PDB file of all heavy atoms in Angstrom:
ATOM      1  N   MET A   1      17.766  29.526   4.577  1.00  0.00           N
ATOM      2  CA  MET A   1      17.334  28.555   3.584  1.00  0.00           C
ATOM      3  C   MET A   1      16.809  27.295   4.192  1.00  0.00           C
ATOM      4  O   MET A   1      17.338  26.696   5.185  1.00  0.00           O
ATOM      5  CB  MET A   1      18.587  28.213   2.653  1.00  0.00           C
ATOM      6  CG  MET A   1      18.128  27.216   1.605  1.00  0.00           C
ATOM      7  SD  MET A   1      19.636  26.702   0.408  1.00  0.00           S
ATOM      8  CE  MET A   1      19.966  28.354  -0.204  1.00  0.00           C
ATOM      9  N   VAL A   2      15.737  26.847   3.811  1.00  0.00           N
ATOM     10  CA  VAL A   2      15.130  25.607   4.272  1.00  0.00           C
ATOM     11  C   VAL A   2      15.972  24.326   4.067  1.00  0.00           C
ATOM     12  O   VAL A   2      16.246  24.296   2.920  1.00  0.00           O
ATOM     13  CB  VAL A   2      13.651  25.428   3.822  1.00  0.00           C
ATOM     14  CG1 VAL A   2      12.958  24.100   4.253  1.00  0.00           C
ATOM     15  CG2 VAL A   2      12.817  26.542   4.279  1.00  0.00           C
ATOM     16  N   LYS A   3      16.233  23.612   5.012  1.00  0.00           N
ATOM     17  CA  LYS A   3      16.922  22.433   4.801  1.00  0.00           C
ATOM     18  C   LYS A   3      16.136  21.272   4.278  1.00  0.00           C
ATOM     19  O   LYS A   3      14.929  21.184   4.780  1.00  0.00           O
ATOM     20  CB  LYS A   3      17.718  21.925   6.055  1.00  0.00           C
ATOM     21  CG  LYS A   3      18.764  22.899   6.572  1.00  0.00           C
ATOM     22  CD  LYS A   3      19.415  22.311   7.741  1.00  0.00           C
ATOM     23  CE  LYS A   3      20.603  23.161   8.186  1.00  0.00           C
ATOM     24  NZ  LYS A   3      21.209  22.619   9.406  1.00  0.00           N
ATOM     25  N   GLN A   4      16.509  20.584   3.285  1.00  0.00           N
ATOM     26  CA  GLN A   4      15.616  19.475   2.759  1.00  0.00           C
ATOM     27  C   GLN A   4      15.219  18.398   3.788  1.00  0.00           C
ATOM     28  O   GLN A   4      14.168  17.988   3.744  1.00  0.00           O
ATOM     29  CB  GLN A   4      16.378  18.862   1.532  1.00  0.00           C
ATOM     30  CG  GLN A   4      16.410  19.732   0.279  1.00  0.00           C
ATOM     31  CD  GLN A   4      16.982  19.043  -0.865  1.00  0.00           C
ATOM     32  OE1 GLN A   4      17.661  18.074  -0.791  1.00  0.00           O
ATOM     33  NE2 GLN A   4      16.699  19.575  -2.100  1.00  0.00           N
ATOM     34  N   ALA A   5      16.162  18.160   4.523  1.00  0.00           N
ATOM     35  CA  ALA A   5      15.914  17.072   5.707  1.00  0.00           C
ATOM     36  C   ALA A   5      14.737  17.628   6.710  1.00  0.00           C
ATOM     37  O   ALA A   5      13.956  16.804   7.216  1.00  0.00           O
ATOM     38  CB  ALA A   5      17.146  16.869   6.622  1.00  0.00           C
ATOM     39  N   ASP A   6      14.872  18.955   6.895  1.00  0.00           N
ATOM     40  CA  ASP A   6      13.705  19.490   7.817  1.00  0.00           C
ATOM     41  C   ASP A   6      12.394  19.405   7.120  1.00  0.00           C
ATOM     42  O   ASP A   6      11.344  19.095   7.569  1.00  0.00           O
ATOM     43  CB  ASP A   6      13.960  20.886   8.128  1.00  0.00           C
ATOM     44  CG  ASP A   6      15.139  21.187   9.000  1.00  0.00           C
ATOM     45  OD1 ASP A   6      15.548  20.111   9.779  1.00  0.00           O
ATOM     46  OD2 ASP A   6      15.848  22.225   9.051  1.00  0.00           O
ATOM     47  N   LEU A   7      12.425  19.571   5.740  1.00  0.00           N
ATOM     48  CA  LEU A   7      11.173  19.415   4.957  1.00  0.00           C
ATOM     49  C   LEU A   7      10.677  18.093   4.828  1.00  0.00           C
ATOM     50  O   LEU A   7       9.570  17.886   5.053  1.00  0.00           O
ATOM     51  CB  LEU A   7      11.451  19.990   3.559  1.00  0.00           C
ATOM     52  CG  LEU A   7      10.199  20.317   2.585  1.00  0.00           C
ATOM     53  CD1 LEU A   7       9.350  21.390   3.391  1.00  0.00           C
ATOM     54  CD2 LEU A   7      10.775  20.943   1.382  1.00  0.00           C
ATOM     55  N   ALA A   8      11.687  17.141   4.795  1.00  0.00           N
ATOM     56  CA  ALA A   8      11.186  15.755   4.874  1.00  0.00           C
ATOM     57  C   ALA A   8      10.582  15.394   6.164  1.00  0.00           C
ATOM     58  O   ALA A   8       9.594  14.660   6.243  1.00  0.00           O
ATOM     59  CB  ALA A   8      12.526  14.877   4.614  1.00  0.00           C
ATOM     60  N   ALA A  10       8.945  17.322   8.070  1.00  0.00           N
ATOM     61  CA  ALA A  10       7.653  17.946   8.108  1.00  0.00           C
ATOM     62  C   ALA A  10       6.572  17.083   7.304  1.00  0.00           C
ATOM     63  O   ALA A  10       5.474  17.032   7.735  1.00  0.00           O
ATOM     64  CB  ALA A  10       7.629  19.329   7.492  1.00  0.00           C
ATOM     65  N   ILE A 170       6.542  19.939  -3.214  1.00  0.00           N
ATOM     66  CA  ILE A 170       6.964  20.606  -1.991  1.00  0.00           C
ATOM     67  C   ILE A 170       8.323  21.199  -2.044  1.00  0.00           C
ATOM     68  O   ILE A 170       8.831  21.727  -1.110  1.00  0.00           O
ATOM     69  CB  ILE A 170       6.688  19.893  -0.783  1.00  0.00           C
ATOM     70  CG1 ILE A 170       7.448  18.512  -0.794  1.00  0.00           C
ATOM     71  CG2 ILE A 170       5.296  19.492  -0.655  1.00  0.00           C
ATOM     72  CD1 ILE A 170       7.418  17.770   0.482  1.00  0.00           C
ATOM     73  N   GLY A 171       9.061  20.925  -3.111  1.00  0.00           N
ATOM     74  CA  GLY A 171      10.398  21.349  -3.299  1.00  0.00           C
ATOM     75  C   GLY A 171      11.488  20.446  -3.011  1.00  0.00           C
ATOM     76  O   GLY A 171      12.675  20.892  -2.690  1.00  0.00           O
ATOM     77  N   LEU A 172      11.215  19.178  -2.951  1.00  0.00           N
ATOM     78  CA  LEU A 172      12.229  18.126  -2.767  1.00  0.00           C
ATOM     79  C   LEU A 172      12.623  17.486  -4.138  1.00  0.00           C
ATOM     80  O   LEU A 172      11.859  17.533  -5.106  1.00  0.00           O
ATOM     81  CB  LEU A 172      11.699  17.116  -1.823  1.00  0.00           C
ATOM     82  CG  LEU A 172      11.367  17.592  -0.426  1.00  0.00           C
ATOM     83  CD1 LEU A 172      10.736  16.402   0.509  1.00  0.00           C
ATOM     84  CD2 LEU A 172      12.782  17.927   0.369  1.00  0.00           C
ATOM     85  N   ILE A 208       2.925  21.909   4.554  1.00  0.00           N
ATOM     86  CA  ILE A 208       4.135  21.347   4.794  1.00  0.00           C
ATOM     87  C   ILE A 208       5.376  22.421   4.560  1.00  0.00           C
ATOM     88  O   ILE A 208       6.282  22.438   5.396  1.00  0.00           O
ATOM     89  CB  ILE A 208       4.402  20.077   3.922  1.00  0.00           C
ATOM     90  CG1 ILE A 208       3.407  19.071   4.437  1.00  0.00           C
ATOM     91  CG2 ILE A 208       5.881  19.605   3.885  1.00  0.00           C
ATOM     92  CD1 ILE A 208       3.353  17.870   3.435  1.00  0.00           C
ATOM     93  N   ARG A 209       5.317  22.996   3.497  1.00  0.00           N
ATOM     94  CA  ARG A 209       6.265  24.053   3.059  1.00  0.00           C
ATOM     95  C   ARG A 209       6.337  25.192   4.156  1.00  0.00           C
ATOM     96  O   ARG A 209       7.410  25.587   4.549  1.00  0.00           O
ATOM     97  CB  ARG A 209       6.021  24.708   1.646  1.00  0.00           C
ATOM     98  CG  ARG A 209       6.270  23.665   0.567  1.00  0.00           C
ATOM     99  CD  ARG A 209       6.303  24.430  -0.776  1.00  0.00           C
ATOM    100  NE  ARG A 209       5.138  25.137  -0.965  1.00  0.00           N
ATOM    101  CZ  ARG A 209       4.128  24.601  -1.709  1.00  0.00           C
ATOM    102  NH1 ARG A 209       4.194  23.394  -2.303  1.00  0.00           N
ATOM    103  NH2 ARG A 209       2.834  25.257  -2.005  1.00  0.00           N
ATOM    104  N   HIS A 210       5.164  25.533   4.623  1.00  0.00           N
ATOM    105  CA  HIS A 210       5.116  26.649   5.473  1.00  0.00           C
ATOM    106  C   HIS A 210       5.718  26.233   6.987  1.00  0.00           C
ATOM    107  O   HIS A 210       6.071  27.042   7.768  1.00  0.00           O
ATOM    108  CB  HIS A 210       3.680  27.250   5.574  1.00  0.00           C
ATOM    109  CG  HIS A 210       3.388  27.924   4.362  1.00  0.00           C
ATOM    110  ND1 HIS A 210       2.087  28.085   4.105  1.00  0.00           N
ATOM    111  CD2 HIS A 210       4.029  28.502   3.317  1.00  0.00           C
ATOM    112  CE1 HIS A 210       1.975  28.698   2.832  1.00  0.00           C
ATOM    113  NE2 HIS A 210       3.241  29.070   2.455  1.00  0.00           N
ATOM    114  N   ALA A 211       5.489  24.961   7.203  1.00  0.00           N
ATOM    115  CA  ALA A 211       5.804  24.465   8.451  1.00  0.00           C
ATOM    116  C   ALA A 211       7.412  24.585   8.842  1.00  0.00           C
ATOM    117  O   ALA A 211       7.728  24.540  10.030  1.00  0.00           O
ATOM    118  CB  ALA A 211       5.431  22.985   8.719  1.00  0.00           C
ATOM    119  N   VAL A 212       8.128  24.785   7.840  1.00  0.00           N
ATOM    120  CA  VAL A 212       9.579  24.881   8.077  1.00  0.00           C
ATOM    121  C   VAL A 212      10.127  26.162   7.617  1.00  0.00           C
ATOM    122  O   VAL A 212      11.267  26.398   7.566  1.00  0.00           O
ATOM    123  CB  VAL A 212      10.397  23.732   7.356  1.00  0.00           C
ATOM    124  CG1 VAL A 212       9.852  22.301   7.906  1.00  0.00           C
ATOM    125  CG2 VAL A 212       9.988  23.771   5.859  1.00  0.00           C
ATOM    126  N   GLU A 213       9.266  27.191   7.348  1.00  0.00           N
ATOM    127  CA  GLU A 213       9.637  28.398   6.860  1.00  0.00           C
ATOM    128  C   GLU A 213      10.036  29.267   8.115  1.00  0.00           C
ATOM    129  O   GLU A 213       9.595  29.125   9.182  1.00  0.00           O
ATOM    130  CB  GLU A 213       8.706  29.196   6.135  1.00  0.00           C
ATOM    131  CG  GLU A 213       8.537  28.508   4.588  1.00  0.00           C
ATOM    132  CD  GLU A 213       7.512  29.232   3.816  1.00  0.00           C
ATOM    133  OE1 GLU A 213       6.721  30.049   4.443  1.00  0.00           O
ATOM    134  OE2 GLU A 213       7.369  28.868   2.459  1.00  0.00           O
TER     135      GLU A 213
END
Side-chain angles (χ1 to χ4, degrees):
M1 180 179 294
V2 174
K3 292 182 179 180
Q4 291 186 336
D6 292 339
L7 196 52
I170 63 175
L172 290 173
I208 291 170
R209 285 195 299 268
H210 293 155
V212 294
E213 287 180 350

